Amino acid sequence: MRQHVNPLSKYFQEIESIPKIDQIFKNSFLPTHLDIGCASGKFLFQLAENNKNWNYLGIEIREKLIINAKHKLKEKDIDNLYFIFGNADNLLKNWIVQYPYKTFDSASINFPDPWYKKKHHKRRIIQTEFLNKLSYIMSDKSLLFLKSDVEELYQYMNSVISNSLIFEKVQNKCINYLETFNPSNIKTEREKYAISKQLKIYQTIYKKIINV
Ligand SMILES: C[S@@+](CC[C@H](N)C(=O)[O-])C[C@H]1O[C@@H](n2cnc3c(N)ncnc32)[C@H](O)[C@@H]1O
């Protein structure tokens, strides 16, 4: 198992500067999806190549993965995908300052690092303050997609999200998947692994209900 990267380390206080959204995507008027903890970006490459009517932005704390993803992006000449290296919490904080408008029409947090020990729970990505920041940059009534194969983490994240009162759970049957960022139900790398090992996958879709 790989060593998780501690997002609270001083190293991640510094983040790369974020270009303006119209410099990132060829068509900045398309709906835009944010994937937090995108790892190598394989999932996003597939999404971006299959859905030209969406823009995709991936955030990842492991620098090497983003360097490689950016190389691949240049080679493939894809104009509806972009990657940023850094701790998502710091990136969102800067994003709000630089671009104080609702950039994202949906967001996903797929199989975030579990940080099992209680003393490490503060390193988990979903925290009340993080959700506040996320809600600032998400459009009204936009969807947040959450997946995990760790039940205890999933319950923890659900309770933080429910207590925030910013998002409410949406019944799966109320979602028209064809209109979402992932109409063909492409799987992430961790999801493929979980399926191959027959691990139970816990997932919830939330809708932003508070207009901040
Ligand atoms: C278990 S992996 C899942 C990767 C991918 N989402 C998937 O489903 O295959 C979690 C990813 O989140 C990244 N990550 C963890 N904490 C992060 C943070 N604070 N900001 C950005 N990325 C983070 C990790 O480096 C790792 O690549």
PDB file of all heavy atoms in Angstrom, residues 67-89:
ATOM      1  N   ILE A  67       2.598  16.105 -12.982  1.00  0.00           N
ATOM      2  CA  ILE A  67       3.597  16.391 -14.034  1.00  0.00           C
ATOM      3  C   ILE A  67       3.370  15.433 -15.209  1.00  0.00           C
ATOM      4  O   ILE A  67       3.292  15.847 -16.371  1.00  0.00           O
ATOM      5  CB  ILE A  67       5.034  16.265 -13.471  1.00  0.00           C
ATOM      6  CG1 ILE A  67       5.288  17.398 -12.474  1.00  0.00           C
ATOM      7  CG2 ILE A  67       6.083  16.277 -14.586  1.00  0.00           C
ATOM      8  CD1 ILE A  67       6.586  17.271 -11.683  1.00  0.00           C
ATOM      9  N   ASN A  68       3.202  14.157 -14.894  1.00  0.00           N
ATOM     10  CA  ASN A  68       2.979  13.162 -15.954  1.00  0.00           C
ATOM     11  C   ASN A  68       1.669  13.412 -16.696  1.00  0.00           C
ATOM     12  O   ASN A  68       1.610  13.317 -17.922  1.00  0.00           O
ATOM     13  CB  ASN A  68       2.957  11.738 -15.371  1.00  0.00           C
ATOM     14  CG  ASN A  68       4.331  11.336 -14.885  1.00  0.00           C
ATOM     15  OD1 ASN A  68       5.337  11.943 -15.262  1.00  0.00           O
ATOM     16  ND2 ASN A  68       4.392  10.322 -14.034  1.00  0.00           N
ATOM     17  N   ALA A  69       0.637  13.746 -15.939  1.00  0.00           N
ATOM     18  CA  ALA A  69      -0.676  13.987 -16.567  1.00  0.00           C
ATOM     19  C   ALA A  69      -0.597  15.187 -17.512  1.00  0.00           C
ATOM     20  O   ALA A  69      -1.173  15.175 -18.606  1.00  0.00           O
ATOM     21  CB  ALA A  69      -1.736  14.227 -15.492  1.00  0.00           C
ATOM     22  N   LYS A  70       0.173  16.211 -17.104  1.00  0.00           N
ATOM     23  CA  LYS A  70       0.293  17.407 -17.960  1.00  0.00           C
ATOM     24  C   LYS A  70       1.057  17.088 -19.249  1.00  0.00           C
ATOM     25  O   LYS A  70       0.730  17.610 -20.315  1.00  0.00           O
ATOM     26  CB  LYS A  70       0.972  18.548 -17.191  1.00  0.00           C
ATOM     27  CG  LYS A  70       0.007  19.194 -16.202  1.00  0.00           C
ATOM     28  CD  LYS A  70       0.624  20.406 -15.545  1.00  0.00           C
ATOM     29  CE  LYS A  70      -0.432  21.120 -14.719  1.00  0.00           C
ATOM     30  NZ  LYS A  70       0.070  22.248 -13.980  1.00  0.00           N
ATOM     31  N   HIS A  71       2.074  16.224 -19.145  1.00  0.00           N
ATOM     32  CA  HIS A  71       2.800  15.789 -20.357  1.00  0.00           C
ATOM     33  C   HIS A  71       1.848  15.077 -21.310  1.00  0.00           C
ATOM     34  O   HIS A  71       1.806  15.357 -22.504  1.00  0.00           O
ATOM     35  CB  HIS A  71       3.937  14.829 -19.988  1.00  0.00           C
ATOM     36  CG  HIS A  71       5.160  15.538 -19.478  1.00  0.00           C
ATOM     37  ND1 HIS A  71       5.719  16.601 -20.130  1.00  0.00           N
ATOM     38  CD2 HIS A  71       5.929  15.320 -18.390  1.00  0.00           C
ATOM     39  CE1 HIS A  71       6.774  17.027 -19.451  1.00  0.00           C
ATOM     40  NE2 HIS A  71       6.917  16.262 -18.379  1.00  0.00           N
ATOM     41  N   LYS A  72       1.091  14.179 -20.748  1.00  0.00           N
ATOM     42  CA  LYS A  72       0.155  13.376 -21.550  1.00  0.00           C
ATOM     43  C   LYS A  72      -0.886  14.291 -22.214  1.00  0.00           C
ATOM     44  O   LYS A  72      -1.255  14.087 -23.369  1.00  0.00           O
ATOM     45  CB  LYS A  72      -0.527  12.375 -20.612  1.00  0.00           C
ATOM     46  CG  LYS A  72      -1.214  11.228 -21.295  1.00  0.00           C
ATOM     47  CD  LYS A  72      -1.571  10.161 -20.268  1.00  0.00           C
ATOM     48  CE  LYS A  72      -2.795   9.388 -20.682  1.00  0.00           C
ATOM     49  NZ  LYS A  72      -3.371   8.583 -19.623  1.00  0.00           N
ATOM     50  N   LEU A  73      -1.298  15.299 -21.454  1.00  0.00           N
ATOM     51  CA  LEU A  73      -2.302  16.239 -21.958  1.00  0.00           C
ATOM     52  C   LEU A  73      -1.781  16.976 -23.193  1.00  0.00           C
ATOM     53  O   LEU A  73      -2.496  17.136 -24.184  1.00  0.00           O
ATOM     54  CB  LEU A  73      -2.604  17.244 -20.833  1.00  0.00           C
ATOM     55  CG  LEU A  73      -3.860  18.091 -20.925  1.00  0.00           C
ATOM     56  CD1 LEU A  73      -5.093  17.222 -21.104  1.00  0.00           C
ATOM     57  CD2 LEU A  73      -3.994  18.923 -19.655  1.00  0.00           C
ATOM     58  N   LYS A  74      -0.502  17.377 -23.131  1.00  0.00           N
ATOM     59  CA  LYS A  74       0.107  18.080 -24.281  1.00  0.00           C
ATOM     60  C   LYS A  74       0.164  17.166 -25.488  1.00  0.00           C
ATOM     61  O   LYS A  74      -0.163  17.557 -26.598  1.00  0.00           O
ATOM     62  CB  LYS A  74       1.525  18.534 -23.918  1.00  0.00           C
ATOM     63  CG  LYS A  74       1.569  19.947 -23.447  1.00  0.00           C
ATOM     64  CD  LYS A  74       2.986  20.490 -23.494  1.00  0.00           C
ATOM     65  CE  LYS A  74       3.040  21.793 -22.718  1.00  0.00           C
ATOM     66  NZ  LYS A  74       4.307  21.944 -22.019  1.00  0.00           N
ATOM     67  N   GLU A  75       0.612  15.922 -25.233  1.00  0.00           N
ATOM     68  CA  GLU A  75       0.731  14.957 -26.343  1.00  0.00           C
ATOM     69  C   GLU A  75      -0.603  14.721 -27.017  1.00  0.00           C
ATOM     70  O   GLU A  75      -0.703  14.629 -28.223  1.00  0.00           O
ATOM     71  CB  GLU A  75       1.211  13.588 -25.810  1.00  0.00           C
ATOM     72  CG  GLU A  75       2.688  13.490 -25.571  1.00  0.00           C
ATOM     73  CD  GLU A  75       3.033  12.257 -24.721  1.00  0.00           C
ATOM     74  OE1 GLU A  75       2.203  11.337 -24.626  1.00  0.00           O
ATOM     75  OE2 GLU A  75       4.127  12.270 -24.127  1.00  0.00           O
ATOM     76  N   LYS A  76      -1.651  14.612 -26.209  1.00  0.00           N
ATOM     77  CA  LYS A  76      -2.956  14.252 -26.756  1.00  0.00           C
ATOM     78  C   LYS A  76      -3.721  15.450 -27.282  1.00  0.00           C
ATOM     79  O   LYS A  76      -4.736  15.291 -27.956  1.00  0.00           O
ATOM     80  CB  LYS A  76      -3.803  13.555 -25.679  1.00  0.00           C
ATOM     81  CG  LYS A  76      -3.318  12.157 -25.339  1.00  0.00           C
ATOM     82  CD  LYS A  76      -4.287  11.484 -24.378  1.00  0.00           C
ATOM     83  CE  LYS A  76      -4.009  10.014 -24.289  1.00  0.00           C
ATOM     84  NZ  LYS A  76      -5.069   9.175 -24.819  1.00  0.00           N
ATOM     85  N   ASP A  77      -3.251  16.664 -26.928  1.00  0.00           N
ATOM     86  CA  ASP A  77      -3.898  17.879 -27.414  1.00  0.00           C
ATOM     87  C   ASP A  77      -5.406  17.890 -27.090  1.00  0.00           C
ATOM     88  O   ASP A  77      -6.242  18.052 -27.970  1.00  0.00           O
ATOM     89  CB  ASP A  77      -3.659  17.991 -28.937  1.00  0.00           C
ATOM     90  CG  ASP A  77      -3.916  19.407 -29.405  1.00  0.00           C
ATOM     91  OD1 ASP A  77      -3.862  20.313 -28.567  1.00  0.00           O
ATOM     92  OD2 ASP A  77      -4.204  19.583 -30.613  1.00  0.00           O
ATOM     93  N   ILE A  78      -5.709  17.716 -25.824  1.00  0.00           N
ATOM     94  CA  ILE A  78      -7.105  17.729 -25.375  1.00  0.00           C
ATOM     95  C   ILE A  78      -7.384  19.113 -24.789  1.00  0.00           C
ATOM     96  O   ILE A  78      -6.611  19.597 -23.965  1.00  0.00           O
ATOM     97  CB  ILE A  78      -7.337  16.641 -24.295  1.00  0.00           C
ATOM     98  CG1 ILE A  78      -7.025  15.268 -24.878  1.00  0.00           C
ATOM     99  CG2 ILE A  78      -8.745  16.683 -23.750  1.00  0.00           C
ATOM    100  CD1 ILE A  78      -7.048  14.153 -23.857  1.00  0.00           C
ATOM    101  N   ASP A  79      -8.481  19.747 -25.216  1.00  0.00           N
ATOM    102  CA  ASP A  79      -8.695  21.131 -24.770  1.00  0.00           C
ATOM    103  C   ASP A  79      -9.828  21.301 -23.755  1.00  0.00           C
ATOM    104  O   ASP A  79     -10.215  22.416 -23.440  1.00  0.00           O
ATOM    105  CB  ASP A  79      -8.912  22.052 -25.985  1.00  0.00           C
ATOM    106  CG  ASP A  79     -10.040  21.555 -26.866  1.00  0.00           C
ATOM    107  OD1 ASP A  79     -10.921  20.843 -26.361  1.00  0.00           O
ATOM    108  OD2 ASP A  79     -10.031  21.898 -28.069  1.00  0.00           O
ATOM    109  N   ASN A  80     -10.356  20.189 -23.239  1.00  0.00           N
ATOM    110  CA  ASN A  80     -11.411  20.317 -22.216  1.00  0.00           C
ATOM    111  C   ASN A  80     -10.991  19.640 -20.907  1.00  0.00           C
ATOM    112  O   ASN A  80     -11.826  19.165 -20.139  1.00  0.00           O
ATOM    113  CB  ASN A  80     -12.750  19.732 -22.713  1.00  0.00           C
ATOM    114  CG  ASN A  80     -12.656  18.250 -23.056  1.00  0.00           C
ATOM    115  OD1 ASN A  80     -11.580  17.744 -23.396  1.00  0.00           O
ATOM    116  ND2 ASN A  80     -13.767  17.548 -22.959  1.00  0.00           N
ATOM    117  N   LEU A  81      -9.669  19.597 -20.687  1.00  0.00           N
ATOM    118  CA  LEU A  81      -9.151  18.947 -19.481  1.00  0.00           C
ATOM    119  C   LEU A  81      -7.949  19.730 -18.963  1.00  0.00           C
ATOM    120  O   LEU A  81      -7.138  20.233 -19.748  1.00  0.00           O
ATOM    121  CB  LEU A  81      -8.729  17.502 -19.844  1.00  0.00           C
ATOM    122  CG  LEU A  81      -8.033  16.656 -18.774  1.00  0.00           C
ATOM    123  CD1 LEU A  81      -8.912  16.479 -17.539  1.00  0.00           C
ATOM    124  CD2 LEU A  81      -7.694  15.269 -19.348  1.00  0.00           C
ATOM    125  N   TYR A  82      -7.843  19.819 -17.620  1.00  0.00           N
ATOM    126  CA  TYR A  82      -6.708  20.536 -17.021  1.00  0.00           C
ATOM    127  C   TYR A  82      -6.413  19.925 -15.659  1.00  0.00           C
ATOM    128  O   TYR A  82      -7.310  19.378 -15.005  1.00  0.00           O
ATOM    129  CB  TYR A  82      -7.044  22.029 -16.865  1.00  0.00           C
ATOM    130  CG  TYR A  82      -5.841  22.896 -16.616  1.00  0.00           C
ATOM    131  CD1 TYR A  82      -5.015  23.277 -17.665  1.00  0.00           C
ATOM    132  CD2 TYR A  82      -5.519  23.325 -15.331  1.00  0.00           C
ATOM    133  CE1 TYR A  82      -3.892  24.068 -17.433  1.00  0.00           C
ATOM    134  CE2 TYR A  82      -4.395  24.112 -15.096  1.00  0.00           C
ATOM    135  CZ  TYR A  82      -3.594  24.471 -16.156  1.00  0.00           C
ATOM    136  OH  TYR A  82      -2.490  25.248 -15.929  1.00  0.00           O
ATOM    137  N   PHE A  83      -5.153  19.997 -15.249  1.00  0.00           N
ATOM    138  CA  PHE A  83      -4.746  19.431 -13.956  1.00  0.00           C
ATOM    139  C   PHE A  83      -4.025  20.493 -13.132  1.00  0.00           C
ATOM    140  O   PHE A  83      -3.253  21.284 -13.673  1.00  0.00           O
ATOM    141  CB  PHE A  83      -3.782  18.250 -14.153  1.00  0.00           C
ATOM    142  CG  PHE A  83      -4.424  17.074 -14.831  1.00  0.00           C
ATOM    143  CD1 PHE A  83      -4.250  16.847 -16.192  1.00  0.00           C
ATOM    144  CD2 PHE A  83      -5.214  16.182 -14.105  1.00  0.00           C
ATOM    145  CE1 PHE A  83      -4.848  15.760 -16.821  1.00  0.00           C
ATOM    146  CE2 PHE A  83      -5.813  15.097 -14.718  1.00  0.00           C
ATOM    147  CZ  PHE A  83      -5.627  14.884 -16.080  1.00  0.00           C
ATOM    148  N   ILE A  84      -4.244  20.445 -11.836  1.00  0.00           N
ATOM    149  CA  ILE A  84      -3.511  21.329 -10.925  1.00  0.00           C
ATOM    150  C   ILE A  84      -2.955  20.498  -9.771  1.00  0.00           C
ATOM    151  O   ILE A  84      -3.673  19.676  -9.184  1.00  0.00           O
ATOM    152  CB  ILE A  84      -4.406  22.448 -10.355  1.00  0.00           C
ATOM    153  CG1 ILE A  84      -5.032  23.266 -11.489  1.00  0.00           C
ATOM    154  CG2 ILE A  84      -3.599  23.374  -9.452  1.00  0.00           C
ATOM    155  CD1 ILE A  84      -5.950  24.373 -11.013  1.00  0.00           C
ATOM    156  N   PHE A  85      -1.668  20.747  -9.474  1.00  0.00           N
ATOM    157  CA  PHE A  85      -1.014  20.068  -8.352  1.00  0.00           C
ATOM    158  C   PHE A  85      -1.230  20.875  -7.079  1.00  0.00           C
ATOM    159  O   PHE A  85      -1.117  22.103  -7.084  1.00  0.00           O
ATOM    160  CB  PHE A  85       0.491  19.945  -8.636  1.00  0.00           C
ATOM    161  CG  PHE A  85       1.323  19.881  -7.379  1.00  0.00           C
ATOM    162  CD1 PHE A  85       1.253  18.771  -6.548  1.00  0.00           C
ATOM    163  CD2 PHE A  85       2.149  20.942  -7.020  1.00  0.00           C
ATOM    164  CE1 PHE A  85       2.000  18.720  -5.378  1.00  0.00           C
ATOM    165  CE2 PHE A  85       2.896  20.900  -5.854  1.00  0.00           C
ATOM    166  CZ  PHE A  85       2.826  19.779  -5.026  1.00  0.00           C
ATOM    167  N   GLY A  86      -1.518  20.184  -5.979  1.00  0.00           N
ATOM    168  CA  GLY A  86      -1.569  20.851  -4.676  1.00  0.00           C
ATOM    169  C   GLY A  86      -2.555  20.188  -3.738  1.00  0.00           C
ATOM    170  O   GLY A  86      -3.271  19.266  -4.110  1.00  0.00           O
ATOM    171  N   ASN A  87      -2.546  20.674  -2.511  1.00  0.00           N
ATOM    172  CA  ASN A  87      -3.526  20.235  -1.531  1.00  0.00           C
ATOM    173  C   ASN A  87      -4.864  20.901  -1.874  1.00  0.00           C
ATOM    174  O   ASN A  87      -4.944  22.129  -1.947  1.00  0.00           O
ATOM    175  CB  ASN A  87      -3.044  20.656  -0.137  1.00  0.00           C
ATOM    176  CG  ASN A  87      -4.082  20.394   0.934  1.00  0.00           C
ATOM    177  OD1 ASN A  87      -5.096  19.746   0.707  1.00  0.00           O
ATOM    178  ND2 ASN A  87      -3.826  20.905   2.122  1.00  0.00           N
ATOM    179  N   ALA A  88      -5.883  20.084  -2.101  1.00  0.00           N
ATOM    180  CA  ALA A  88      -7.179  20.614  -2.551  1.00  0.00           C
ATOM    181  C   ALA A  88      -7.676  21.735  -1.635  1.00  0.00           C
ATOM    182  O   ALA A  88      -8.255  22.715  -2.111  1.00  0.00           O
ATOM    183  CB  ALA A  88      -8.201  19.490  -2.610  1.00  0.00           C
ATOM    184  N   ASP A  89      -7.446  21.601  -0.354  1.00  0.00           N
ATOM    185  CA  ASP A  89      -7.952  22.608   0.586  1.00  0.00           C
ATOM    186  C   ASP A  89      -7.327  23.985   0.302  1.00  0.00           C
ATOM    187  O   ASP A  89      -8.028  24.995   0.237  1.00  0.00           O
ATOM    188  CB  ASP A  89      -7.644  22.158   2.024  1.00  0.00           C
ATOM    189  CG  ASP A  89      -8.424  22.974   3.025  1.00  0.00           C
ATOM    190  OD1 ASP A  89      -9.660  23.009   2.920  1.00  0.00           O
ATOM    191  OD2 ASP A  89      -7.795  23.602   3.892  1.00  0.00           O
TER     192      ASP A  89
END
